[in-house]
Amino acid sequence: MIRPCYRAFLGSLLITAWMIGLPTATAHPEDEFCVPGESELDPALCEQLAALDSVDGNKARLTEPVRDAAGNVRSSASTFRLYVGIGVGHILPGGLDHILFVLALFLTSTRWRALVIQISMFTIAHTATLGLTASGLINPPGNIVEPLIAASIAFVAIENVFVKDMPSWRPLIVFAFGLLHGMGFAGFFGELGLPDNQFWSGLIGFNVGVEIGQLGIVAVAWILIRGWRQLNPEKFSQHYRRWVVQPASLLIGVTGIWWTVERLLSM
C-alpha cells in the first residue's frame, strides 16, 4: 500500500508533467480542413475563407456554393457528408477541451442510465445554441464564452473528486454547460462562412460529426473500464474511484482552471 505522503508526491509530479505538456488556451483547431494538398474543399473556397478571416469582425457568409477539389458544386448530401467529417475532426483530435469535458462526465457514470442522461442533456443544449449562434440569431462574444467553457470543465471534474455518485442536479448543470459548448462549436463553424443554400446541410452534418466524435470517446472509455471490471470485479469496485476517477478528475480540473486563467488573461 502506497502511503498518503507518497501518493501526494507522485500526484504532484504527474500534475506538473501534465501541465508542462498542456496545449495553449485555444483548444479549437483553425481551418485545418483547408490544408493545401490535403483538403477535400475547392482551393478557391479556402482562399475565400482566408479572405473572410482576414477582415476583422466580418462574419459574412460566402456567396459562392461549396465545391469539391475538382471544382464541382457539391449537393446538399455531399456537403452534409463533408461536414460530418469536419465535425468529427473538430473533436478528434482537435477539441481537447470538449474531450476532457465528456470524459469528466463519464468518470462518475459507471451506470449507463446516468451517462445517457448526461450526454443527452449536453447534446440537446449544445445543438440548440450551435444552431442559434451559427445562424446569427444570437452572437455571444467569444472572449466570454471560451473562459466559461474552460471553467465548466474544471467545475465538473472537481465535483467528481468530492462526489461519489452522480448528483441529482448534475443533468441541469450539464445542460447549462452544454449551452456554452454549443456556442464554442458555433464559433468554429461560423468560420466556414457557408452560403445560405448549403448552410443547414453543413450545420447538421457538422453537429452529427461532433456527436460521433463524442460518442467515440465515451465508447473507448467504456470498453477500457468494462474490460477491467470483467477481468477483476473485486479490485475494480475497490480501486476504480481511488486510482482512476479521483486522479483523472484532478488532472482534468487543473487543466480547466489553467485554461480559464489563460483565456481570461488573453482577453
Side-chain angles (χ1 to χ4, degrees):
M1 180 69 68
I2 300 177
R3 294 180 180 179
C5 59
Y6 293 145
R7 287 205 302 266
F9 176 70
L10 291 174
S12 299
L13 289 179
L14 183 58
I15 290 174
T16 301
W18 176 265
M19 294 297 292
I20 292 173
L22 276 179
T24 58
T26 303
H28 300 283
E30 299 300 329
D31 295 338
E32 295 176 354
F33 42 82
C34 279
V35 176
E38 302 178 10
S39 174
E40 297 183 40
L41 293 179
D42 178 17
L45 174 62
C46 291
E47 292 180 5
Q48 293 180 63
L49 290 173
L52 281 180
D53 287 342
S54 66
V55 179
D56 293 337
N58 185 354
K59 294 299 180 182
R61 296 179 191 157
L62 300 172
T63 56
E64 294 296 323
V66 178
R67 299 175 183 270
D68 58 24
N72 300 314
V73 176
R74 288 184 178 273
S75 65
S76 295
S78 178
T79 301
F80 173 83
R81 290 193 298 270
L82 172 65
Y83 283 90
V84 168
I86 293 175
V88 172
H90 182 58
I91 298 297
L92 300 170
L96 181 57
D97 49 357
H98 303 299
I99 291 173
L100 293 184
F101 185 81
V102 172
L103 286 177
L105 297 182
F106 173 83
L107 286 171
T108 52
S109 305
T110 55
R111 298 181 181 87
W112 265 111
R113 182 174 180 274
L115 182 60
V116 168
I117 290 174
Q118 291 182 87
I119 295 296
S120 298
M121 298 298 282
F122 184 66
T123 299
I124 292 170
H126 81 64
T127 299
T129 48
L130 171 58
L132 290 172
T133 308
S135 60
L137 294 177
I138 60 176
N139 186 28
N143 60 353
I144 295 178
V145 171
E146 290 299 329
L148 288 176
I149 288 176
S152 73
I153 298 169
F155 180 91
V156 173
I158 292 173
E159 186 179 54
N160 288 349
V161 175
F162 299 101
V163 178
K164 184 175 182 179
D165 297 316
M166 186 187 79
S168 59
W169 62 81
R170 174 65 73 82
L172 295 178
I173 294 294
V174 170
F175 182 84
F177 290 159
L179 296 176
L180 293 172
H181 283 250
M183 297 174 193
F185 291 137
F188 174 80
F189 183 81
E191 296 174 0
L192 306 184
L194 285 170
D196 289 334
N197 63 336
Q198 292 175 311
F199 178 77
W200 289 108
S201 58
L203 177 65
I204 295 171
F206 180 78
N207 194 63
V208 169
V210 165
E211 292 311 310
I212 292 173
Q214 292 180 160
L215 291 175
I217 296 164
V218 171
V220 171
W222 182 79
I223 289 171
L224 293 174
I225 295 303
R226 180 178 173 83
W228 180 18
R229 178 186 288 175
Q230 289 183 332
L231 285 173
N232 199 323
E234 183 177 350
K235 284 191 175 181
F236 176 86
S237 61
Q238 291 177 352
H239 301 302
Y240 174 65
R241 176 166 175 78
R242 174 179 292 181
W243 293 109
V244 177
V245 174
Q246 290 182 323
S249 295
L250 182 60
L251 287 177
I252 294 172
V254 169
T255 303
I257 294 172
W258 176 267
W259 276 340
T260 302
V261 174
E262 193 176 7
R263 293 176 184 185
L264 287 172
L265 293 177
S266 65
M267 291 173 56

